[in-house]
Amino acid sequence: MQPKIQNLLKELALTRETFWNIHEEVGEFLNLLITSQKYKTVLEIGTSNGYSGIWLAEALSQIAKTCKTKKPHLYTIESNFKKRFPLATENFKKSGLSKDITQILGHAPEVIPSSPRKFDLAFLDATKYEHISYWNTLKNLINKGGAIIADNIISHQKDLKDFTKEVQKDKSFTTIILPLGTGLLIAIKN
């Protein structure tokens, strides 16, 4: 990882409480997952100030170096247009990863792009009561071997109880909960 990106991530990690950013270990995990699985199309719901998006896009930029066909890309959705969306834009520019990122302003799942038709990874870190809606929209948009990952699955266990049950009963996915950060639910498409 470039020192410029490392320094920016360290700076943004200090804003975790203000912007509800993921823990550093979650960023490292997502980065490793993307590079090890060679995921190329990633969707993030809940951009906030761009911290997690930088972890995701940095991994995609590593894959791009060896990719001869489809260029890896991050699509990230944020509904807060006054503060978070422009702040993320600024942070993506600082990271030098803007070319690998498409920011989408709006309310998920209404603004999920129709192209690409499928994603390798969808990362959910947004309004908890809407997770079932995100799931119902995304489960058919994930490539085989791809994943849907939800953050805060332990810290917001009560709020995400119905979502967790819904995901775990879907036999087209294998699901695990990891105690990283505030808890991750990982559902891999069979």
Side-chain angles (χ1 to χ4, degrees), residues 131-132 135-136 139 150 153 156-171 173 175 177 185 187:
H131 271 45
I132 289 178
W135 171 258
N136 288 331
K139 65 184 177 182
I153 209 71
H156 291 70
Q157 189 173 3
K158 185 178 175 186
D159 297 330
L160 293 170
K161 187 172 106 183
D162 291 339
F163 165 75
T164 302
K165 284 182 183 175
E166 186 75 19
V167 174
Q168 289 175 330
K169 76 178 184 183
D170 192 321
K171 299 302 176 205
F173 286 82
T175 307
I177 294 176
L185 179 143

Side-chain angles (χ1 to χ4, degrees), residues 1 3-14 24 31 50-55 58:
M1 186 179 291
K4 172 175 79 170
I5 296 173
Q6 285 178 329
N7 292 335
L8 179 58
L9 286 171
K10 283 179 188 170
E11 179 186 319
L12 293 176
L14 301 174
E24 182 181 8
N31 189 281
Y51 178 74
S52 53
I54 292 169
W55 280 106
E58 196 283 331

Side-chain angles (χ1 to χ4, degrees), residues 39-45 70 73 75 77 104 108-124 132-149 170 172-173 187-190:
Y39 289 159
K40 294 181 182 127
T41 53
V42 177
L43 174 68
E44 174 184 44
I45 297 179
K70 188 176 183 183
H73 202 79
Y75 300 84
I77 299 171
I104 302 165
E110 291 90 6
V111 296
I112 291 172
S114 56
S115 179
R117 296 180 62 88
K118 296 243 181 184
F119 296 93
D120 295 317
L121 172 66
F123 179 58
L124 312 180
I132 289 178
S133 177
Y134 304 153
W135 171 258
N136 288 331
T137 300
L138 292 171
K139 65 184 177 182
N140 295 320
L141 300 179
I142 298 297
N143 288 316
K144 185 176 180 177
I148 296 176
I149 299 179
D170 192 321
S172 60
F173 286 82
I188 306 285
K189 185 111 179 225
N190 300 323

Side-chain angles (χ1 to χ4, degrees), residues 40 64 66-72:
K40 294 181 182 127
T66 60
C67 185
K68 291 181 170 59
T69 56
K70 188 176 183 183
K71 187 166 169 38

Side-chain angles (χ1 to χ4, degrees), residues 77-128:
I77 299 171
E78 176 58 53
S79 62
N80 182 299
F81 68 95
K82 288 186 178 178
K83 188 171 189 177
R84 291 191 182 112
F85 188 89
L87 193 52
T89 302
E90 181 183 320
N91 289 326
F92 291 151
K93 284 179 186 170
K94 285 182 189 175
S95 74
L97 297 167
S98 294
K99 67 186 181 329
D100 301 319
I101 302 169
T102 297
Q103 282 184 266
I104 302 165
L105 179 62
H107 181 256
E110 291 90 6
V111 296
I112 291 172
S114 56
S115 179
R117 296 180 62 88
K118 296 243 181 184
F119 296 93
D120 295 317
L121 172 66
F123 179 58
L124 312 180
D125 191 15
T127 310
K128 305 309 173 212

